[in-house]
Amino acid sequence: MIKKMKKTTLGGSRWVAPSALYAFGALALGGGAILARVAFGPRAAILLGAVGALAALWVAQRATLYPRVYLGRPMAFLGLLLSLVSVNESLGAVGYNVLWRRSFQVNGVFAVYTDPTAGWRVEHPTRWVTVNELADQSITLSFKPSMLSQSMIFSVTRKPGDGKTDVRDWADRFLFRLPKSDRTLILERRPFRYPDGRDAFELIYEDPLQTLPLRHRIVFVNQGNELFMLSVAATPGHLDRLGEEAERFLLSLRAPSAIS
């Protein structure tokens, strides 16, 4: 007598061993999305979080249909929660960054300013306005967003020099004369080689007691018989977001002979 074969559907099959491995994988993807947000940024977290959410939904659906085979449904739901939190927070960060860059007219495109008299040049965000300021023995040229001007400024200051004084000495003199409080923070002082081979010196400082606390990055460079001070000033959070633009501006000074 031929015995009837047992049903082999996945829900009650004797050939499929119960396992929580799929649920654990969904949880791992959710946790990985959280870690990716910290290590690699919001875009990586969005990608991994989306994959994790889809995987968790699939595991939860299979666990509902075949609870004896796909174990660990609570684990899958936890992975889904982590993935959704990661995606939601990362989308907010990306969206905020886009709106922030649009508000401050920063789009990655740079224009070249060439001094009409001396011929030196610098690069600046193309949509920013230019303002000239005269002071005793110095001329400052500022670039800033046309609508939000006080919390973000790039500037070039020229003052007479002798072409021989070391840029470190100029930085020390500037720091000595700088109006500051006992809480002024000198965050960095370092010599470095400018892209065209000249000696340069960078000073980074901030004073939290100012009405609008700004962080200042200043690069000192000798050019002929003049000292050039290229400065970026912004709130610390804004300066972090402006890292690429600030670096490009601070290293963009070129002498007339370097202009093709």
Side-chain angles (χ1 to χ4, degrees), residues 18 33 83 99 117 121 131 137 148 157 160 162 177 189-190 200 205 207 210 236 242 249 251:
S83 294
L99 292 175
T117 303
R121 70 178 185 181
V131 179
Q137 296 185 331
L148 302 172
T157 299
D162 54 18
R177 297 172 182 171
R189 299 174 69 249
R190 70 177 185 99
Y205 72 93
D207 188 346
Q210 291 179 331
L242 273 176
F249 169 75
L251 302 180

Side-chain angles (χ1 to χ4, degrees), residues 115-131:
D115 184 79
T117 303
W120 54 267
R121 70 178 185 181
V122 291
E123 299 180 16
H124 63 88
T126 188
R127 298 176 61 191
W128 287 15
V129 298
T130 305
V131 179

Side-chain angles (χ1 to χ4, degrees), residues 125-148:
T126 188
R127 298 176 61 191
W128 287 15
V129 298
T130 305
V131 179
N132 275 300
E133 302 173 11
L134 301 177
D136 292 340
Q137 296 185 331
S138 68
I139 302 174
T140 298
L141 180 69
S142 299
F143 308 96
K144 51 191 175 181
S146 58
M147 294 188 300
L148 302 172

Side-chain angles (χ1 to χ4, degrees), residues 109-187:
V109 180
F110 273 63
V112 176
Y113 172 86
T114 302
D115 184 79
T117 303
W120 54 267
R121 70 178 185 181
V122 291
E123 299 180 16
H124 63 88
T126 188
R127 298 176 61 191
W128 287 15
V129 298
T130 305
V131 179
N132 275 300
E133 302 173 11
L134 301 177
D136 292 340
Q137 296 185 331
S138 68
I139 302 174
T140 298
L141 180 69
S142 299
F143 308 96
K144 51 191 175 181
S146 58
M147 294 188 300
L148 302 172
S149 59
Q150 297 304 314
S151 61
M152 190 177 300
I153 300 175
F154 290 7
S155 62
V156 181
T157 299
R158 302 158 50 202
K159 61 185 302 181
D162 54 18
K164 300 177 181 178
T165 302
D166 187 77
V167 286
R168 181 191 294 269
D169 294 334
W170 284 121
D172 290 340
R173 295 179 189 180
F174 172 86
L175 195 57
F176 178 76
R177 297 172 182 171
L178 177 69
K180 50 187 179 294
S181 70
D182 57 355
R183 293 187 59 185
T184 298
L185 303 175
I186 309 302
L187 302 176

